Amino acid sequence: LRNWQQNKTLSELAMSASRRLSLPVMVSSAGGPAKWNSQFGELETFETMLESMCTATTVNEALEEVEAVLLLGHKIWAYAYLQVLYFRNPSLYYQLLVQHQLLLLPVVYTPTVGEVCQKFGKMPFRTRGCYISIANRGNIKQVLEEYAQVALEKGPDGKPICDCIVFSDAGRILGLGDLGTWGMGIPIGKLDLYTLFAGVNPGRTIPVILDVGTHGPEGNTDHIDIRGDPMYTGMKQPRVMHKSAAGTMVNSAYCGEGNFMREFFLSATALFGKGCLLQFEDFNSNDAFPLLAEYREEFLTYNDDIQGTGAVAMAALMGALKLRCPDCPNLLAELRKQTYLFHGAGSANLGSLSLLADQVGVPKSQLFVTNSTGLIWRSEDGAEGSFKNGEQKAIAHVGKPSFDSQDLAACVRFVKPDFLVGAVGSMPGCFTQEVLEEMVKVNTHQRPVVFALSNPSSQAEATAKNAYRFTGGRAIFGSGTLMDPVTVDGQLRYPGQVNNVYIFPGLSMGAICCQARSLPQCVFIAAAEAVARSLDQEDLEMDRVVPRPARIRDVGLNVAVATVLECQRLGLARKVLGETREEVEKAVSARMWRPSSVSPTSSRPALEQTELVAESRSGCRKLSLPAAVVAAGGIGGWNSKSSALTNLAKMLDRMCMASTPADALDEVKAMLLLGHNIWAFAYLQMLRYKNKQVYFGLLAEEPSILLPVIRSQSNVTEACQKFGKMPLHPQGCYISIHQRGKVPELLQEYAKAQLGKDKEGKPVCHCAVIYSSRTHGIWGMAACSGLLDVLTAYGGVDPAFTMPIVLDAGCSDSRIYEDPLYVGMQETQKEVQSSAEAEEMLVLEVQEAIIGLFGRKCLVQLAGFSKAPAMLPDRTLNSSVYSDGVDGRAALILAGLMGAAKVRNASCPNVVSELHRDTFLFHGADSVGLLCLRLLLKEARVPKTKLILMNSSGLVWQSPSGYVGNFQDNDEQEFAQIGQPLINLTDLSEVIRYYQVTCLVVSACSAQGCVDKKVVQTLHQGSGVVRPVIITLASSRTKAEVSAKDAYTLSNGSAIFCSTAPSERIQVAEQLRYPSQFDSLYISPGLTMGATFSHIGRIPDRLLLASAQAVAESLDNQDIEEDRILPRLASVSKVALKVASAVTFETQRLGLAAHLGDSLEEVQKKLREARWVPVGGRERTLSRVVATEVCTDHAVCCTATAPTCTVQ
């Protein structure tokens, strides 16, 4: 590879020649890759950020950077990194793959490549790959020639050399459907594996996408509107289809004389010779089979989805036979004795069936296959049947089944298969417990074989865990996607990944080496047997049906040799490599390409150390950091302890270049292109550390974009699960239950190091969040600090005077506490003696210490606790403590109910009085619902007869004497109905009808789907002219009690709906409705700001009512028109100001605070002037204190990258 050996990158090569024809049509029309990327600001920014991640010049450095990227999961980010590395240094890229194939195979191919193709256009466009559109008909040779001149190695005559082309029209990418030109990830990934596992020279290969149009969202499983995406690079037109003579829908571009496909084959062979291998990849089945039949004998070509998948399935079937009988002398003969049931009639299964029937010689009476109608059958004369094409008809069972053949378990009972093979692609989990148990019943004398071959893992017919579990550990299991090992009877079993990668690299290499004329089916059987014969004793002991991944390159050589020998035997080899296996193996091995070596010594420039590595103001902290961090020498020492953590810190530091909120917004949008908000979360943590003013300015400026990153349940949960895999920052105080008795000293240490000071130099704290999570342990700091940041960004609470505190009482999730990077207590919650009691005592001690250090007017917020109400003091006491998870959510429910009143009647003069018109049913007696009921009763003065409560036993009631009833405690008894009504107490719809309920609040502890069709319709019918209200509190859509769509549909559009889980906008008649998302951020920022500004020492329930009323009264005309009962996220800062003003004014009215204004408007004006905002890159604070960050080593801090450091 002449050019590569001169260390020229492919991107440089691409720049040396003009590419116009071989680019995607939209990229070409934009003026090329650079101009295409610059059309989209986030793409251009993303390209710069990705480039900054990759600085490696050696394999070790590249490995360290990849491992750093993989820390946060989501391998598509590692894929994006590797693409940068490829263009920077191809030899280094391939050397990294060869040396670390086990780590990187799942990154460069399945399962990651599926997601890559779904988001290919969301990554900066790269020049690798040739795109040939239908508009190039008559000019395909010139398109290929243009690409070849730019990208291929040249021969002695100066002409480009091409050994192999992998081409696809992306009509069926894995199990994901039609992805158009974004499917380029597949031929690129395929060719990388050619190189990695068989030594095919990458400088002599071309990845090709044939752009013949793209179907709409209905054409792919995730219903992505790829063609309509502004970043789609291909032709924005549908595929032109017609019905074939066989009755199937096929692509018109491939039919007729001189068609597009024939021109492509003729052009490729005219340029590169008949010995150029042309591999079909991921074509729709209706196109794939006839195309293969037309070209397979005329050209050196094969379809990996049909023949390669079929061959690896054969290899795995033979591997299963070896597991049953390790000494089996004739695997092919043994295959002929078995009975097979293939679930799914796509190209993969039909390819396997074809090999079994035509090459192995299995009688068709032992071969069964299903399609969407059930078991495929035909009549004796073939005139009738359930087949959909000729391929299905050829393998159809004779005679219509007498049972329901759509029932897979019934099919198993009827067929009694030895092997069950699934490759449906769109029915995840279809190998149910019943199906797997039936497989055991029909295989009483041998282990049943079960293969779940659909990709990606989200589409698998069964997981390894379930396959072993539901067969009592008897199954021999293989999967299309790599699955984790499972312990069965004390033995670890490693499911073999039945992937074409065992076949296509070696088979292609063998065909290239011997210059085969064509590849008949018997060659694939030879390749499959070579894979099975490669199984060694260790593989068999691990219960693998294919060799372990570490040996794939050896397997590739074995398959290549078998391919050459079979082609020579058939007289199809233009070049004979030897008479014996040894001679052929030597010749093939010599031809295998290996990447040129790269320097083992780093040549990249030394990076300046940031404060993440060079210790700064956290250096004096010994008590308020986790013990493991202190033992490592502090935050800098801890971050330096792991090379992956160090590299991730440096990557994030280089990626985070913003100096203004606008710049930061561009960078965040770029980070969000690939989804997986955890990366945007990690970026924001770095931004907060580097430039707090820009960080908070960004949050305040774009809440609709940023809040899902730092606040959404799913992302915060993931951030907590991976908090320790991100660089540790100084913010955050950690207190272990083993530190009881030292809390004041510990808080003082943190305050001295991190908090702002007053004029006397004394630390000041206006607000502290105490967080404890039994699930996430101290990694809950991700949620804790996020809560405080919300208070600052939208409530104007000065961040210099806030303290995030996480309590360490153990962790119940073994995936977290067993992680090497977890720095909390190693004991689980169960192992900590009396952990709940100790935790409660610790909370009280922390509260007392905060009061002692900062006074009673420091607001303390409890979050994350499973028993927060027990830790809240009586509201009549002089203690400013509240729980966001209880008080905030209860106030928000109240705000939503008032908001619903405004949606019903926008001109209602008093939303509190309007509540008296409704009857409320709370389904689920949790602390949030009980507090909301109390607020309705005692603060809003709603009659108790209109407040209905249901607990796990049904409707809560009590006898007149109060001694009998189904209430579980005094709180429930307060809202118990007097007397037991003569209805079914557990029937939600019956309770709604009996009490004529108009507002239904469904607790997070309620059962999934409990608000069914009957409940919604009863609510609708009983509400009369009043629109019924449904508020659901489940944290995710998957756990939702009812979806927004069902709520609207089942109520004929009359329902007013709100949920904790985000919902898409929904068309109801002529109106677009935007269901509100239930989030206490509408309450907590304003309530906190109002409380701290008022200097109150306690938060009475009246303030919760005032907060709720302020939120409801913040609804504007647009909100009401969109059917929102809570304001739009974009207005959260304005809402917070109104809430803060209402709270402040109410405290003044209650006599809890000094007089601050004669009107609400006057109070609001003062608050607007006083709240903290980032201005001009410097923090503005309340005039009564001077904010400063304390630096323990001014020289170190200011000579490092710490532009925000100020020293008082």
Side-chain angles (χ1 to χ4, degrees):
L1 291 178
R2 187 179 305 110
N3 293 314
W4 289 8
Q5 289 166 352
Q6 294 172 1
N7 290 321
K8 290 184 179 179
T9 67
L10 285 184
S11 56
E12 289 172 332
L13 288 173
M15 294 292 288
S16 66
S18 172
R19 279 186 66 189
R20 181 176 58 85
L21 298 173
S22 57
L23 293 171
V25 291
M26 297 304 293
V27 177
S28 181
S29 63
K35 290 186 177 179
W36 170 261
N37 291 334
S38 66
Q39 274 188 187
F40 306 96
E42 55 266 51
L43 263 187
E44 193 171 34
T45 301
F46 196 28
E47 183 175 25
T48 302
M49 296 175 81
L50 288 172
E51 291 283 343
S52 72
M53 291 173 69
C54 181
T55 63
T57 58
T58 70
V59 172
N60 285 342
E61 289 170 357
L63 176 63
E64 288 175 354
E65 290 185 344
V66 169
E67 288 176 335
V69 175
L70 290 172
L71 270 180
L72 298 186
H74 307 301
K75 293 183 176 66
I76 190 171
W77 278 85
Y79 180 93
Y81 167 88
L82 287 172
Q83 295 313 296
V84 175
L85 181 64
Y86 175 88
F87 282 91
R88 286 269 184 89
N89 191 332
S91 289
L92 176 56
Y93 171 80
Y94 283 112
Q95 196 168 8
L96 177 68
L97 293 190
V98 169
Q99 292 185 23
H100 302 282
Q101 54 184 276
L102 287 181
L103 176 69
L104 298 178
L105 175 59
V107 175
V108 298
Y109 206 60
T110 58
T112 308
V113 73
E115 184 183 2
V116 165
C117 290
Q118 288 178 320
K119 299 173 180 177
F120 200 78
K122 305 292 184 181
M123 291 182 275
F125 182 81
R126 306 281 183 183
T127 53
R128 188 180 183 191
C130 179
Y131 298 81
I132 306 174
S133 85
I134 192 71
N136 295 128
R137 283 191 66 173
N139 202 29
I140 293 177
K141 184 177 179 182
Q142 284 80 2
V143 176
L144 286 170
E145 194 167 22
E146 176 190 87
Y147 184 86
Q149 288 294 335
V150 170
L152 293 186
E153 180 182 345
K154 309 300 190 298
D157 56 0
K159 293 182 179 179
I161 302 172
C162 184
D163 290 333
C164 175
I165 296 175
V166 173
F167 64 100
S168 174
D169 72 350
R172 187 201 58 84
I173 295 292
L174 302 175
L176 302 173
D178 182 5
L179 302 182
T181 57
W182 284 5
M184 178 57 85
I186 286 289
I188 286 176
K190 208 83 171 182
L191 285 171
D192 279 347
L193 299 192
Y194 273 43
T195 298
L196 179 58
F197 297 126
V200 174
N201 187 332
R204 297 181 176 186
T205 64
I206 305 179
V208 169
I209 282 289
L210 303 179
D211 184 2
V212 291
T214 313
H215 290 306
E218 74 285 353
N220 60 81
T221 56
D222 288 356
H223 305 294
I224 305 169
D225 185 11
I226 291 177
R227 195 175 70 216
D229 194 296
M231 293 181 179
Y232 182 60
T233 53
M235 297 179 66
K236 292 183 178 280
Q237 66 182 47
R239 295 173 186 263
V240 179
M241 312 293 288
H242 73 271
K243 185 174 283 189
S244 69
T248 59
M249 296 302 296
V250 297
N251 201 308
S252 302
Y254 307 145
C255 303
E257 188 175 349
N259 63 68
F260 184 64
M261 185 63 71
R262 178 155 290 276
E263 184 185 349
F264 169 70
F265 268 82
L266 291 173
S267 298
T269 51
L271 278 171
F272 309 120
K274 282 277 191 176
C276 177
L277 174 66
L278 300 166
Q279 187 215 303
F280 286 95
E281 184 67 28
D282 282 351
F283 281 74
N284 182 280
S285 296
N286 289 347
D287 292 321
F289 282 98
L291 286 173
L292 179 62
E294 181 175 353
Y295 295 103
R296 64 187 302 172
E297 294 182 4
E298 187 179 352
F299 298 92
L300 177 57
T301 187
Y302 73 97
N303 186 310
D304 185 50
D305 303 300
I306 299 172
Q307 297 163 287
T309 304
V312 79
M314 292 300 99
L317 294 176
M318 287 187 269
L321 292 177
K322 285 199 73 173
L323 284 173
R324 283 181 180 168
C325 180
D327 300 323
C328 178
N330 191 328
L331 293 173
L332 292 177
E334 196 65 26
L335 281 177
R336 288 191 281 271
K337 301 176 184 178
Q338 312 300 312
T339 299
Y340 306 84
L341 174 57
F342 286 79
H343 188 41
S347 57
N349 275 352
L350 290 176
S352 300
L353 285 160
S354 174
L355 288 174
L356 284 169
D358 301 335
Q359 299 302 316
V360 179
V362 177
K364 289 190 177 180
S365 60
Q366 295 166 214
L367 300 173
F368 299 84
V369 62
T370 68
N371 61 17
S372 58
T373 66
L375 198 67
I376 299 177
W377 64 276
R378 64 176 176 84
S379 59
E380 286 280 359
D381 60 4
E384 295 181 294
S386 61
F387 50 86
K388 295 183 177 181
N389 52 42
E391 291 77 27
Q392 292 185 15
K393 182 178 181 180
I395 205 69
H397 172 68
V398 177
K400 186 174 182 178
S402 58
F403 59 94
D404 180 9
S405 69
Q406 286 191 306
D407 181 348
L408 184 57
C411 288
V412 172
R413 282 192 291 273
F414 173 78
V415 173
K416 297 180 173 53
D418 303 288
F419 292 82
L420 174 63
V421 181
V424 186
S426 58
M427 293 179 64
C430 59
F431 287 179
T432 62
Q433 180 174 353
E434 182 185 8
V435 169
L436 294 168
E437 287 176 347
E438 286 296 331
M439 280 296 293
V440 174
K441 291 177 184 177
V442 300
N443 285 276
T444 55
H445 302 301
Q446 62 184 0
R447 294 179 65 187
V449 179
V450 178
F451 291 164
L453 303 185
S454 289
N455 282 311
S457 55
S458 60
Q459 300 298 321
E461 291 77 12
T463 63
K465 184 177 180 180
N466 283 344
Y468 294 130
R469 175 185 173 194
F470 296 141
T471 62
R474 292 187 58 201
I476 295 174
F477 182 76
S479 61
T481 299
L482 184 65
M483 293 189 181
D484 292 332
V486 178
T487 301
V488 179
D489 296 331
Q491 179 190 3
L492 264 181
R493 292 191 185 173
Y494 294 78
Q497 185 181 5
V498 187
N499 190 286
N500 314 30
V501 74
Y502 287 96
I503 296 290
F504 68 78
L507 184 137
S508 298
M509 183 61 176
I512 291 168
C513 287
C514 71
Q515 299 177 18
R517 291 181 174 84
S518 64
L519 294 170
Q521 291 288 71
C522 57
V523 174
F524 291 88
I525 292 296
E529 191 168 8
V531 174
R533 295 295 181 193
S534 298
L535 286 164
D536 61 18
Q537 187 59 36
E538 185 176 345
D539 294 321
L540 298 178
E541 289 172 359
M542 298 168 81
D543 215 52
R544 293 185 182 276
V545 294
V546 289
R548 54 195 183 278
R551 300 183 55 236
I552 295 182
R553 193 169 173 93
D554 296 333
V555 175
L557 178 59
N558 292 342
V559 171
V561 171
T563 300
V564 171
L565 289 171
E566 186 69 6
C567 287
Q568 289 182 173
R569 185 185 70 82
L570 296 170
L572 295 174
R574 292 187 178 91
K575 183 178 181 181
V576 176
L577 301 185
E579 298 297 327
T580 65
R581 175 182 175 79
E582 290 72 22
E583 290 175 349
V584 171
E585 183 174 328
K586 183 178 180 181
V588 172
S589 182
R591 177 79 185 269
M592 293 175 75
W593 179 87
R594 293 168 179 81
S596 58
S597 60
V598 294
S599 171
T601 306
S602 174
S603 61
R604 62 181 174 186
L607 295 169
E608 290 186 12
Q609 287 190 321
T610 68
E611 287 187 10
L612 295 176
V613 177
E615 196 67 33
S616 65
R617 54 185 183 274
S618 66
C620 61
R621 292 172 59 188
K622 304 298 182 186
L623 297 174
S624 57
L625 288 172
V629 175
V630 174
I635 291 173
W638 175 259
N639 288 335
S640 300
K641 188 176 181 180
S642 162
S643 62
L645 206 56
T646 302
N647 278 291
L648 181 59
K650 291 176 180 178
M651 284 180 172
L652 290 169
D653 187 25
R654 294 193 297 269
M655 294 171 79
C656 182
M657 299 174 284
S659 58
T660 68
D663 293 340
L665 181 61
D666 288 341
E667 291 181 351
V668 169
K669 285 181 176 179
M671 299 290 280
L672 292 172
L673 279 173
L674 299 186
H676 310 305
N677 290 355
I678 186 66
W679 272 90
F681 182 93
Y683 166 88
L684 287 171
Q685 293 301 295
M686 178 60 72
L687 178 64
R688 189 191 195 285
Y689 182 78
K690 293 180 71 173
N691 195 326
K692 201 182 328 182
Q693 294 85 359
V694 171
Y695 171 73
F696 284 112
L698 173 64
L699 294 189
E701 202 169 286
E702 290 289 347
S704 58
I705 295 176
L706 277 300
L707 279 172
V709 177
I710 65 170
R711 183 72 179 178
S712 72
Q713 179 73 26
S714 59
N715 202 56
V716 170
T717 297
E718 185 177 7
C720 289
Q721 290 169 340
K722 298 175 179 176
F723 186 74
K725 297 178 184 296
M726 292 179 272
L728 189 62
H729 297 284
Q731 184 195 25
C733 180
Y734 301 84
I735 305 177
S736 163
I737 57 173
H738 298 317
Q739 292 175 304
R740 285 186 58 195
K742 299 180 180 179
V743 172
E745 182 185 355
L746 187 152
L747 290 179
Q748 200 164 25
E749 175 194 90
Y750 181 86
K752 182 179 178 182
Q754 297 295 136
L755 293 183
K757 312 299 187 294
D758 62 16
K759 291 180 180 179
E760 286 74 39
K762 183 179 178 181
V764 176
C765 183
H766 294 159
C767 177
V769 172
I770 305 175
Y771 190 95
S772 180
S773 170
R774 294 179 181 273
T775 305
H776 302 127
I778 66 167
W779 283 3
M781 182 59 79
C784 182
S785 59
L787 284 173
L788 273 176
D789 288 349
V790 165
L791 301 184
T792 294
Y794 308 114
V797 179
D798 193 327
F801 308 117
T802 63
M803 183 185 300
I805 301 171
V806 163
L807 304 185
D808 187 1
C811 174
S812 61
D813 190 338
S814 60
R815 294 171 301 177
I816 292 177
Y817 68 74
E818 290 178 357
D819 193 289
L821 293 175
Y822 185 67
V823 292
M825 290 166 46
Q826 294 301 308
E827 302 98 328
T828 67
Q829 286 282 354
K830 293 181 180 179
E831 291 171 339
V832 177
Q833 186 177 9
S834 306
S835 62
E837 181 181 349
E839 181 184 56
E840 189 168 334
M841 295 300 294
L842 181 60
V843 173
L844 296 175
E845 186 177 342
V846 173
Q847 290 180 36
E848 291 173 2
I850 289 173
I851 292 171
L853 285 170
F854 310 114
R856 293 187 179 277
K857 295 176 182 179
C858 176
L859 180 67
V860 176
Q861 181 182 141
L862 302 181
F865 291 90
S866 58
K867 295 184 178 180
M871 300 171 186
L872 288 171
D874 190 300
R875 293 196 188 281
T876 60
L877 299 178
N878 190 22
S879 181
S880 189
V881 180
Y882 87 107
S883 166
D884 181 55
V886 179
D887 300 327
R889 289 170 69 83
L892 190 63
I893 293 174
L894 199 55
L897 295 172
M898 293 181 196
K902 282 203 73 172
V903 170
R904 289 173 179 160
N905 179 12
S907 60
C908 70
N910 190 322
V911 290
V912 178
S913 299
E914 204 72 16
L915 293 173
H916 293 231
R917 298 176 181 271
D918 285 295
T919 299
F920 304 90
L921 170 57
F922 283 71
H923 186 265
D926 63 359
S927 54
V928 177
L930 288 168
L931 176 56
C932 190
L933 282 167
R934 192 173 81 202
L935 294 174
L936 284 165
L937 177 66
K938 296 186 176 180
E939 304 301 332
R941 305 297 182 185
V942 175
K944 186 181 286 189
T945 55
K946 292 196 168 191
L947 303 175
I948 318 299
L949 176 65
M950 293 181 72
N951 62 15
S952 56
S953 301
L955 177 72
V956 178
W957 65 276
Q958 62 175 327
S959 64
S961 65
Y963 292 111
V964 179
N966 67 342
F967 52 87
Q968 297 177 2
D969 53 38
N970 293 338
D971 292 329
E972 289 188 13
Q973 186 177 10
E974 184 177 6
F975 300 101
Q977 299 301 303
I978 305 299
Q980 183 177 3
L982 298 177
I983 60 173
N984 183 349
L985 302 183
T986 61
D987 188 325
L988 179 55
S989 60
E990 197 165 337
V991 173
I992 290 171
R993 183 183 299 109
Y994 184 82
Y995 288 102
Q996 296 184 317
V997 171
T998 56
C999 295
L1000 174 63
V1001 180
V1002 190
S1003 163
C1005 64
S1006 300
Q1008 178 183 348
C1010 62
V1011 182
D1012 56 17
K1013 178 180 180 180
K1014 184 179 178 183
V1015 168
V1016 176
Q1017 291 181 342
T1018 302
L1019 194 61
H1020 164 62
Q1021 294 161 4
S1023 298
V1025 295
V1026 178
R1027 291 183 63 190
V1029 179
I1030 302 174
I1031 297 177
T1032 67
L1033 305 182
S1035 59
S1036 68
R1037 293 184 193 178
T1038 56
K1039 298 179 181 177
E1041 300 88 353
V1042 64
S1043 68
K1045 183 178 180 181
D1046 286 345
Y1048 291 134
T1049 303
L1050 298 174
S1051 66
N1052 293 331
S1054 71
I1056 298 173
F1057 183 79
C1058 175
S1059 66
T1060 300
S1063 299
E1064 303 292 336
R1065 63 183 184 180
I1066 295 174
Q1067 185 82 37
V1068 179
E1070 301 299 318
Q1071 182 191 16
L1072 265 180
R1073 295 191 182 172
Y1074 296 76
S1076 294
Q1077 184 178 354
F1078 185 87
D1079 193 321
S1080 57
L1081 70 87
Y1082 289 102
I1083 299 290
S1084 55
L1087 177 59
T1088 302
M1089 183 58 184
T1092 55
F1093 185 74
S1094 304
H1095 301 291
I1096 58 174
R1098 62 187 178 92
I1099 300 179
D1101 284 353
R1102 189 69 185 174
L1103 297 189
L1104 300 182
L1105 177 68
S1107 300
Q1109 186 174 352
V1111 172
E1113 290 176 348
S1114 298
L1115 289 166
D1116 60 22
N1117 290 335
Q1118 183 179 340
D1119 293 322
I1120 293 170
E1121 288 171 5
E1122 293 176 352
D1123 218 50
R1124 298 178 188 269
I1125 63 175
L1126 297 172
R1128 304 181 302 283
L1129 270 182
S1131 60
V1132 66
S1133 292
K1134 294 179 181 178
V1135 174
L1137 181 60
K1138 288 186 178 182
V1139 171
S1141 303
V1143 167
T1144 304
F1145 195 71
E1146 188 66 18
T1147 58
Q1148 177 180 290
R1149 192 188 68 79
L1150 294 173
L1152 298 175
H1155 184 77
L1156 299 169
D1158 294 327
S1159 67
L1160 189 62
E1161 290 73 20
E1162 190 176 341
V1163 170
Q1164 189 172 110
K1165 181 180 178 181
K1166 288 185 178 181
L1167 271 170
R1168 184 180 288 110
E1169 293 172 350
R1171 66 177 182 172
W1172 181 90
V1173 290
V1175 177
R1178 295 192 62 82
E1179 300 169 2
R1180 198 179 84 191
T1181 63
L1182 298 181
S1183 59
R1184 64 177 181 270
V1185 295
V1186 177
T1188 178
E1189 293 179 354
V1190 178
C1191 176
T1192 57
D1193 187 343
H1194 179 61
V1196 170
C1197 185
C1198 293
T1199 54
T1201 52
T1204 61
C1205 176
T1206 57
V1207 178
Q1208 178 71 10

